[in-house]
Amino acid sequence: MNQNFNQIETVVLLALYQETLGCTGGEFGYIEDVDRCGLTKHQFAGYVGQLTKKGCFEYIDTETHGQYALAEHIKESLIS
């Protein structure tokens, strides 16, 4: 895993990755369905905001204004 992520960011990324594998086929738009790893809703959202600033997500659906996917380089680092 990329060393630019702290421990909680890594846990949040893994939770998002598991959600994409188990439920949505690669993208996510319903973040409330993701396991928040013991964090409050606001804490989890804060970490997602930090990860967004670090370029972890790609906006993939401009028609419905709400579908995101983990960036390819993030998926690759989670798999390896």
Side-chain angles (χ1 to χ4, degrees):
M1 175 61 75
N2 188 328
Q3 296 300 318
N4 293 329
F5 302 120
N6 67 40
Q7 183 178 3
I8 297 176
E9 289 172 333
T10 301
V11 169
V12 169
L13 275 174
L14 288 171
L16 291 167
Y17 179 66
Q18 289 302 316
E19 180 69 16
T20 66
L21 287 179
C23 297
T24 63
E27 74 280 345
F28 54 94
Y30 303 104
I31 203 159
E32 58 272 353
D33 292 340
V34 177
D35 173 17
R36 291 198 305 254
C37 319
L39 300 169
T40 68
K41 181 178 183 177
H42 297 291
Q43 289 170 324
F44 191 83
Y47 281 103
V48 170
Q50 285 176 215
L51 293 168
T52 299
K53 289 178 184 176
K54 291 184 175 186
C56 295
F57 310 111
E58 297 171 353
Y59 191 64
I60 60 170
D61 187 351
T62 56
E63 290 181 28
T64 62
H65 306 290
Q67 292 298 316
Y68 294 83
L70 292 171
E72 278 303 314
H73 70 280
I74 298 298
K75 285 192 277 188
E76 290 172 9
S77 67
L78 290 169
I79 293 169
S80 58

